[in-house]
Amino acid sequence: MPVKRWHAELAWLGGDTVAEQVLLEVEADRFLRVTPGSQPPADAVRLPGLTIPGLVNAHSHAFHRALRGHTHYGAGDFWAWRRQMYAVADQLRPDSYLALARAVYAEMALAGITTVGEFHYLHHAPGGVGYDDANAMGVALVAAAAEAGIRISLLDTCYLQADVEGSALSGPQLRFGDGDVAGWAARVAGLPAAARGIAPMTARVGAAIHSVRAVPADGLAEVSAVATGLAGPLHLHLSEQPAENAACLAATGRTPAALCAEHGVLGGRTTAVHATHLSAADVCLLGSSATAVCLCPTTERDLADGIGPSAALRAAGSALCLGSDSHAAIDLLEEARAVELDERLASLRRGTHPASVLLTAATAGGADALGWPEAGRLVPGALADFATIRMDSVRTAGADPGTAMAMATFAAGAADVTNVVVGGLTIVSDGESRRLHQVGRALAEAIRPLWS
Amino acid sequence: MPVKRWHAELAWLGGDTVAEQVLLEVEADRFLRVTPGSQPPADAVRLPGLTIPGLVNAHSHAFHRALRGHTHYGAGDFWAWRRQMYAVADQLRPDSYLALARAVYAEMALAGITTVGEFHYLHHAPGGVGYDDANAMGVALVAAAAEAGIRISLLDTCYLQADVEGSALSGPQLRFGDGDVAGWAARVAGLPAAARGIAPMTARVGAAIHSVRAVPADGLAEVSAVATGLAGPLHLHLSEQPAENAACLAATGRTPAALCAEHGVLGGRTTAVHATHLSAADVCLLGSSATAVCLCPTTERDLADGIGPSAALRAAGSALCLGSDSHAAIDLLEEARAVELDERLASLRRGTHPASVLLTAATAGGADALGWPEAGRLVPGALADFATIRMDSVRTAGADPGTAMAMATFAAGAADVTNVVVGGLTIVSDGESRRLHQVGRALAEAIRPLWS
């Protein structure tokens, strides 16, 4: 089998420093050797700048990209925003969702993202009628990722009721429902084979609980068991909003984290998304159970969610990962620095989360949370997913080997990503997608009909 | 005199909406006519995307650009960061500062910035020895802006003592000092003619009080009088840090805002920079005196300054403007949205500052604060300074005329600026500087010696 070679001027191999002159040798879709201090062989693709493991976007709702720029008129809160989001959700069909998600995942690829976790609850046709292929919408998402060239963990999301009191779904929410947990599980059972059929090497299936609002307490353990059966990750939205906590406490006498703990939802293969409004006891429950936490700071800024206890969660034992969630921005480097910068705003201290912690969250942390533990690292045997950030743009100029990691984390952005490889295949070079031409136009064409 | 024409697909002419198909006609350095709904004449330069008044960066310390990416190792607070900043300040000479500032201002031009307010206190040689030309460092900054093609308000900054108790300057601070206010005023008296000699149309001179730490209370009125004599603006750092407030209260029994009010510093030609840690009474003093406030949110994130009372200040009567200050980022659109997004994090509400308010702060607000009231507006008679933001990048795709303003404010970045005109002269086209080639390289070459 031929060995492909790339030669990185600088590469982050983990820890607090970067290596220079790193030869990356790839056989099939994995790293064969990773060798710092190497001269570049004649056949190697040269990668000026800093090469890092491919970024992992651990929390995405692909269709929210259509909302970018459209929700900033008038005042309002999360719940007002949600009404607009539902109006867009109501428009989508398998073909239009494929077109939109393909463009969104291509935007992710351009930002250096090589794996996405898609938190998918738009299962059925409007009104809740099933498509002929009950997984037509999920299949569209898997196909979209394959066409854009990135890996996907499709986190099929159980969404059964409108609130923690068990009110029935109605209106746009009808599309999300499967009746009961058994109905959801029966549909999901068909997904792994469908995903393998489309993208055998780059798609995996996991499960999600939308939130403690959307799944009755006595169904939480059953969803968790399905995730175990899939050998996939389990994700859930947790304590994004104070109102969610208040409703859960009123209905169950428990915080969402405590309710989840009681029903066996927490643990090392579980990721709590947001985890913004937590009590000290909640932090202990998440940390002591090794539940991962997915922070989505640009969304948390956009939706006025607040600043979560990222430092306390890390100290308690939760691994961190990152998501662009509502896609107000698709820029994992911005997400990474926002964790530290928003912590600075809250604590008035610098340096709580060093660059190595933030980049780990953006790479290995996300890979672990999405069920790709063999990704997110530049080591022999790992999946050959990597992204290169230029260090000669106006944003990044001034870095040296000792500061390139911090420059990438605190100053670079999606526009500085030049080259992206997934499983040994180049999907972005010279800052252009090699899978989808004119990604901006593709986005515009997919979004325009949703607002007309 | 020939009339030059540009034709904007969309243009923001103020208020909450954008106009379509706008013909911008320029005679000499001013707008002659601004005509929405026009067909493009054959000789017009076409501007696809959204054209806005040139962005105004109302608070800059050009040399801080050299610190980007270099200050994120280890923990620390503002004062630890300041030690690193002083180490860089100590390296600069007039020639090296010209090279650095020229590249920094070219980076600003690429971000759509057409006017910078340079808060300048690096006056003398190391140790405090005067250069043969006492204004050699200020002259270098004016020349740098002229060479990069942007306007500058050089805010010559009075910096006389190390703390509010009146401790003498020492070490790297010696370069900042002029002995006393009279010494500072005597030096500054030579600046307007020097600036006119270099850039008669694009440079103006104003004054600044570094902070209540750095100028004794009995000198505040005198600095203010010099600003009046220059017919220029007066700026000062105000309540960026809790420690500054505590020291001022202990030494004077006043908050910095109250001390400034008492000494006649506040008023309609004064701009308070940061204004982060204010009492309710401070907010009233600033607002009721029509003192403008310059927010620098990416710096306030970076330096762990905290979130200032932007909503209360607006309500009290302060006009807002924006600065990139420490240049952790040079992206006025990011500064603009950060005002609203950080307010969302603090208040858990969306929509406090609409896009029109944020864009006004980034344009006319800054122009007013820097003594260019005839800039920052796309109206006949105003200075022909404008910038165009593409609406077809992966970041901005999906906008329509109704949402382009919000897309520019909440999703676009410096990398989306395609075309920039200052006084009727194109300084950026196709996203490239027409004044300085390879701006990234120029930055790297100017910064490298400062760390070696």
PDB file of all heavy atoms in Angstrom, chain A residues 370-394:
ATOM      1  N   LEU A 370     -17.379  11.881  20.696  1.00  0.00           N
ATOM      2  CA  LEU A 370     -18.195  11.446  19.554  1.00  0.00           C
ATOM      3  C   LEU A 370     -17.967   9.984  19.185  1.00  0.00           C
ATOM      4  O   LEU A 370     -18.488   9.507  18.170  1.00  0.00           O
ATOM      5  CB  LEU A 370     -17.921  12.334  18.339  1.00  0.00           C
ATOM      6  CG  LEU A 370     -18.424  13.774  18.461  1.00  0.00           C
ATOM      7  CD1 LEU A 370     -18.084  14.555  17.191  1.00  0.00           C
ATOM      8  CD2 LEU A 370     -19.933  13.825  18.725  1.00  0.00           C
ATOM      9  N   GLY A 371     -17.189   9.270  19.997  1.00  0.00           N
ATOM     10  CA  GLY A 371     -16.986   7.863  19.685  1.00  0.00           C
ATOM     11  C   GLY A 371     -15.951   7.615  18.605  1.00  0.00           C
ATOM     12  O   GLY A 371     -16.021   6.629  17.884  1.00  0.00           O
ATOM     13  N   TRP A 372     -14.985   8.516  18.495  1.00  0.00           N
ATOM     14  CA  TRP A 372     -13.846   8.345  17.581  1.00  0.00           C
ATOM     15  C   TRP A 372     -12.555   8.479  18.391  1.00  0.00           C
ATOM     16  O   TRP A 372     -11.738   9.375  18.119  1.00  0.00           O
ATOM     17  CB  TRP A 372     -13.855   9.397  16.473  1.00  0.00           C
ATOM     18  CG  TRP A 372     -15.012   9.355  15.525  1.00  0.00           C
ATOM     19  CD1 TRP A 372     -16.194  10.017  15.650  1.00  0.00           C
ATOM     20  CD2 TRP A 372     -15.090   8.622  14.296  1.00  0.00           C
ATOM     21  NE1 TRP A 372     -17.016   9.733  14.567  1.00  0.00           N
ATOM     22  CE2 TRP A 372     -16.362   8.886  13.718  1.00  0.00           C
ATOM     23  CE3 TRP A 372     -14.202   7.754  13.619  1.00  0.00           C
ATOM     24  CZ2 TRP A 372     -16.773   8.326  12.509  1.00  0.00           C
ATOM     25  CZ3 TRP A 372     -14.617   7.207  12.418  1.00  0.00           C
ATOM     26  CH2 TRP A 372     -15.889   7.478  11.867  1.00  0.00           C
ATOM     27  N   PRO A 373     -12.340   7.590  19.364  1.00  0.00           N
ATOM     28  CA  PRO A 373     -11.163   7.769  20.229  1.00  0.00           C
ATOM     29  C   PRO A 373      -9.847   7.620  19.466  1.00  0.00           C
ATOM     30  O   PRO A 373      -8.810   8.043  19.975  1.00  0.00           O
ATOM     31  CB  PRO A 373     -11.329   6.676  21.284  1.00  0.00           C
ATOM     32  CG  PRO A 373     -12.208   5.665  20.647  1.00  0.00           C
ATOM     33  CD  PRO A 373     -13.138   6.426  19.744  1.00  0.00           C
ATOM     34  N   GLU A 374      -9.898   7.053  18.274  1.00  0.00           N
ATOM     35  CA  GLU A 374      -8.674   6.912  17.472  1.00  0.00           C
ATOM     36  C   GLU A 374      -8.443   8.131  16.575  1.00  0.00           C
ATOM     37  O   GLU A 374      -7.544   8.125  15.737  1.00  0.00           O
ATOM     38  CB  GLU A 374      -8.736   5.621  16.646  1.00  0.00           C
ATOM     39  CG  GLU A 374      -9.714   5.623  15.489  1.00  0.00           C
ATOM     40  CD  GLU A 374     -11.155   5.289  15.859  1.00  0.00           C
ATOM     41  OE1 GLU A 374     -11.694   5.915  16.795  1.00  0.00           O
ATOM     42  OE2 GLU A 374     -11.754   4.434  15.167  1.00  0.00           O
ATOM     43  N   ALA A 375      -9.256   9.201  16.752  1.00  0.00           N
ATOM     44  CA  ALA A 375      -9.035  10.447  16.011  1.00  0.00           C
ATOM     45  C   ALA A 375      -8.609  11.545  16.991  1.00  0.00           C
ATOM     46  O   ALA A 375      -8.545  11.327  18.200  1.00  0.00           O
ATOM     47  CB  ALA A 375     -10.305  10.859  15.274  1.00  0.00           C
ATOM     48  N   GLY A 376      -8.272  12.701  16.450  1.00  0.00           N
ATOM     49  CA  GLY A 376      -7.989  13.853  17.303  1.00  0.00           C
ATOM     50  C   GLY A 376      -6.572  13.902  17.847  1.00  0.00           C
ATOM     51  O   GLY A 376      -6.274  14.705  18.724  1.00  0.00           O
ATOM     52  N   ARG A 377      -5.702  13.037  17.331  1.00  0.00           N
ATOM     53  CA  ARG A 377      -4.305  12.986  17.799  1.00  0.00           C
ATOM     54  C   ARG A 377      -3.383  12.777  16.609  1.00  0.00           C
ATOM     55  O   ARG A 377      -3.688  11.970  15.732  1.00  0.00           O
ATOM     56  CB  ARG A 377      -4.082  11.785  18.727  1.00  0.00           C
ATOM     57  CG  ARG A 377      -4.683  11.872  20.103  1.00  0.00           C
ATOM     58  CD  ARG A 377      -5.860  10.937  20.247  1.00  0.00           C
ATOM     59  NE  ARG A 377      -6.318  10.923  21.640  1.00  0.00           N
ATOM     60  CZ  ARG A 377      -7.612  10.968  21.986  1.00  0.00           C
ATOM     61  NH1 ARG A 377      -8.561  11.043  21.070  1.00  0.00           N
ATOM     62  NH2 ARG A 377      -7.939  10.951  23.258  1.00  0.00           N
ATOM     63  N   LEU A 378      -2.239  13.412  16.649  1.00  0.00           N
ATOM     64  CA  LEU A 378      -1.220  13.172  15.620  1.00  0.00           C
ATOM     65  C   LEU A 378      -0.234  12.142  16.153  1.00  0.00           C
ATOM     66  O   LEU A 378       0.880  12.482  16.562  1.00  0.00           O
ATOM     67  CB  LEU A 378      -0.502  14.472  15.265  1.00  0.00           C
ATOM     68  CG  LEU A 378      -1.362  15.635  14.745  1.00  0.00           C
ATOM     69  CD1 LEU A 378      -0.470  16.801  14.313  1.00  0.00           C
ATOM     70  CD2 LEU A 378      -2.235  15.197  13.577  1.00  0.00           C
ATOM     71  N   VAL A 379      -0.665  10.869  16.172  1.00  0.00           N
ATOM     72  CA  VAL A 379       0.207   9.797  16.660  1.00  0.00           C
ATOM     73  C   VAL A 379       0.072   8.596  15.720  1.00  0.00           C
ATOM     74  O   VAL A 379      -0.977   8.419  15.080  1.00  0.00           O
ATOM     75  CB  VAL A 379      -0.164   9.353  18.104  1.00  0.00           C
ATOM     76  CG1 VAL A 379       0.072  10.488  19.091  1.00  0.00           C
ATOM     77  CG2 VAL A 379      -1.606   8.871  18.179  1.00  0.00           C
ATOM     78  N   PRO A 380       1.099   7.771  15.635  1.00  0.00           N
ATOM     79  CA  PRO A 380       1.004   6.586  14.783  1.00  0.00           C
ATOM     80  C   PRO A 380      -0.184   5.727  15.188  1.00  0.00           C
ATOM     81  O   PRO A 380      -0.450   5.538  16.382  1.00  0.00           O
ATOM     82  CB  PRO A 380       2.330   5.855  15.040  1.00  0.00           C
ATOM     83  CG  PRO A 380       3.272   6.928  15.462  1.00  0.00           C
ATOM     84  CD  PRO A 380       2.433   7.898  16.249  1.00  0.00           C
ATOM     85  N   GLY A 381      -0.912   5.238  14.203  1.00  0.00           N
ATOM     86  CA  GLY A 381      -2.084   4.410  14.462  1.00  0.00           C
ATOM     87  C   GLY A 381      -3.375   5.192  14.498  1.00  0.00           C
ATOM     88  O   GLY A 381      -4.452   4.621  14.334  1.00  0.00           O
ATOM     89  N   ALA A 382      -3.297   6.492  14.721  1.00  0.00           N
ATOM     90  CA  ALA A 382      -4.518   7.309  14.758  1.00  0.00           C
ATOM     91  C   ALA A 382      -5.002   7.596  13.339  1.00  0.00           C
ATOM     92  O   ALA A 382      -4.240   7.505  12.367  1.00  0.00           O
ATOM     93  CB  ALA A 382      -4.255   8.626  15.485  1.00  0.00           C
ATOM     94  N   LEU A 383      -6.262   7.910  13.224  1.00  0.00           N
ATOM     95  CA  LEU A 383      -6.819   8.315  11.933  1.00  0.00           C
ATOM     96  C   LEU A 383      -6.098   9.571  11.440  1.00  0.00           C
ATOM     97  O   LEU A 383      -5.867  10.511  12.216  1.00  0.00           O
ATOM     98  CB  LEU A 383      -8.317   8.571  12.062  1.00  0.00           C
ATOM     99  CG  LEU A 383      -9.153   7.294  12.266  1.00  0.00           C
ATOM    100  CD1 LEU A 383     -10.560   7.639  12.733  1.00  0.00           C
ATOM    101  CD2 LEU A 383      -9.189   6.462  10.992  1.00  0.00           C
ATOM    102  N   ALA A 384      -5.782   9.585  10.166  1.00  0.00           N
ATOM    103  CA  ALA A 384      -4.974  10.673   9.595  1.00  0.00           C
ATOM    104  C   ALA A 384      -5.864  11.851   9.243  1.00  0.00           C
ATOM    105  O   ALA A 384      -6.136  12.136   8.086  1.00  0.00           O
ATOM    106  CB  ALA A 384      -4.204  10.168   8.384  1.00  0.00           C
ATOM    107  N   ASP A 385      -6.330  12.523  10.292  1.00  0.00           N
ATOM    108  CA  ASP A 385      -7.168  13.719  10.162  1.00  0.00           C
ATOM    109  C   ASP A 385      -6.361  14.897  10.691  1.00  0.00           C
ATOM    110  O   ASP A 385      -6.001  14.914  11.875  1.00  0.00           O
ATOM    111  CB  ASP A 385      -8.439  13.596  11.014  1.00  0.00           C
ATOM    112  CG  ASP A 385      -9.326  12.411  10.621  1.00  0.00           C
ATOM    113  OD1 ASP A 385      -9.026  11.726   9.633  1.00  0.00           O
ATOM    114  OD2 ASP A 385     -10.317  12.179  11.342  1.00  0.00           O
ATOM    115  N   PHE A 386      -6.103  15.897   9.852  1.00  0.00           N
ATOM    116  CA  PHE A 386      -5.343  17.048  10.350  1.00  0.00           C
ATOM    117  C   PHE A 386      -5.664  18.301   9.562  1.00  0.00           C
ATOM    118  O   PHE A 386      -6.192  18.241   8.452  1.00  0.00           O
ATOM    119  CB  PHE A 386      -3.840  16.757  10.381  1.00  0.00           C
ATOM    120  CG  PHE A 386      -3.237  16.231   9.107  1.00  0.00           C
ATOM    121  CD1 PHE A 386      -2.618  17.084   8.206  1.00  0.00           C
ATOM    122  CD2 PHE A 386      -3.267  14.873   8.816  1.00  0.00           C
ATOM    123  CE1 PHE A 386      -2.034  16.602   7.033  1.00  0.00           C
ATOM    124  CE2 PHE A 386      -2.696  14.377   7.642  1.00  0.00           C
ATOM    125  CZ  PHE A 386      -2.083  15.246   6.748  1.00  0.00           C
ATOM    126  N   ALA A 387      -5.381  19.425  10.202  1.00  0.00           N
ATOM    127  CA  ALA A 387      -5.672  20.736   9.612  1.00  0.00           C
ATOM    128  C   ALA A 387      -4.454  21.630   9.823  1.00  0.00           C
ATOM    129  O   ALA A 387      -3.756  21.523  10.834  1.00  0.00           O
ATOM    130  CB  ALA A 387      -6.891  21.364  10.280  1.00  0.00           C
ATOM    131  N   THR A 388      -4.225  22.510   8.875  1.00  0.00           N
ATOM    132  CA  THR A 388      -3.071  23.407   8.940  1.00  0.00           C
ATOM    133  C   THR A 388      -3.542  24.860   8.984  1.00  0.00           C
ATOM    134  O   THR A 388      -4.414  25.262   8.210  1.00  0.00           O
ATOM    135  CB  THR A 388      -2.143  23.174   7.731  1.00  0.00           C
ATOM    136  OG1 THR A 388      -1.754  21.798   7.719  1.00  0.00           O
ATOM    137  CG2 THR A 388      -0.908  24.066   7.818  1.00  0.00           C
ATOM    138  N   ILE A 389      -2.972  25.588   9.923  1.00  0.00           N
ATOM    139  CA  ILE A 389      -3.321  26.999  10.148  1.00  0.00           C
ATOM    140  C   ILE A 389      -2.132  27.844   9.731  1.00  0.00           C
ATOM    141  O   ILE A 389      -1.028  27.659  10.242  1.00  0.00           O
ATOM    142  CB  ILE A 389      -3.638  27.213  11.647  1.00  0.00           C
ATOM    143  CG1 ILE A 389      -4.790  26.299  12.074  1.00  0.00           C
ATOM    144  CG2 ILE A 389      -3.957  28.682  11.915  1.00  0.00           C
ATOM    145  CD1 ILE A 389      -4.885  26.105  13.573  1.00  0.00           C
ATOM    146  N   ARG A 390      -2.362  28.782   8.815  1.00  0.00           N
ATOM    147  CA  ARG A 390      -1.235  29.590   8.356  1.00  0.00           C
ATOM    148  C   ARG A 390      -0.784  30.543   9.459  1.00  0.00           C
ATOM    149  O   ARG A 390      -1.596  31.047  10.246  1.00  0.00           O
ATOM    150  CB  ARG A 390      -1.577  30.339   7.067  1.00  0.00           C
ATOM    151  CG  ARG A 390      -2.754  31.263   7.175  1.00  0.00           C
ATOM    152  CD  ARG A 390      -3.179  31.804   5.810  1.00  0.00           C
ATOM    153  NE  ARG A 390      -2.215  32.791   5.341  1.00  0.00           N
ATOM    154  CZ  ARG A 390      -2.467  33.688   4.385  1.00  0.00           C
ATOM    155  NH1 ARG A 390      -3.639  33.704   3.767  1.00  0.00           N
ATOM    156  NH2 ARG A 390      -1.541  34.545   4.030  1.00  0.00           N
ATOM    157  N   MET A 391       0.491  30.771   9.502  1.00  0.00           N
ATOM    158  CA  MET A 391       1.072  31.683  10.499  1.00  0.00           C
ATOM    159  C   MET A 391       1.617  32.937   9.817  1.00  0.00           C
ATOM    160  O   MET A 391       2.418  33.656  10.416  1.00  0.00           O
ATOM    161  CB  MET A 391       2.185  30.958  11.280  1.00  0.00           C
ATOM    162  CG  MET A 391       1.650  29.929  12.271  1.00  0.00           C
ATOM    163  SD  MET A 391       0.852  30.715  13.714  1.00  0.00           S
ATOM    164  CE  MET A 391      -0.616  29.682  13.884  1.00  0.00           C
ATOM    165  N   ASP A 392       1.164  33.202   8.597  1.00  0.00           N
ATOM    166  CA  ASP A 392       1.645  34.383   7.889  1.00  0.00           C
ATOM    167  C   ASP A 392       0.514  35.305   7.462  1.00  0.00           C
ATOM    168  O   ASP A 392       0.708  36.188   6.644  1.00  0.00           O
ATOM    169  CB  ASP A 392       2.477  33.973   6.665  1.00  0.00           C
ATOM    170  CG  ASP A 392       1.669  33.195   5.642  1.00  0.00           C
ATOM    171  OD1 ASP A 392       0.494  32.844   5.935  1.00  0.00           O
ATOM    172  OD2 ASP A 392       2.197  32.941   4.546  1.00  0.00           O
ATOM    173  N   SER A 393      -0.680  35.104   8.001  1.00  0.00           N
ATOM    174  CA  SER A 393      -1.767  36.046   7.707  1.00  0.00           C
ATOM    175  C   SER A 393      -1.614  37.270   8.608  1.00  0.00           C
ATOM    176  O   SER A 393      -0.834  37.259   9.562  1.00  0.00           O
ATOM    177  CB  SER A 393      -3.136  35.400   7.943  1.00  0.00           C
ATOM    178  OG  SER A 393      -3.447  35.399   9.318  1.00  0.00           O
ATOM    179  N   VAL A 394      -2.385  38.316   8.319  1.00  0.00           N
ATOM    180  CA  VAL A 394      -2.307  39.490   9.199  1.00  0.00           C
ATOM    181  C   VAL A 394      -2.769  39.147  10.610  1.00  0.00           C
ATOM    182  O   VAL A 394      -2.385  39.814  11.569  1.00  0.00           O
ATOM    183  CB  VAL A 394      -3.119  40.683   8.653  1.00  0.00           C
ATOM    184  CG1 VAL A 394      -2.462  41.231   7.396  1.00  0.00           C
ATOM    185  CG2 VAL A 394      -4.576  40.335   8.405  1.00  0.00           C
TER     186      VAL A 394
END
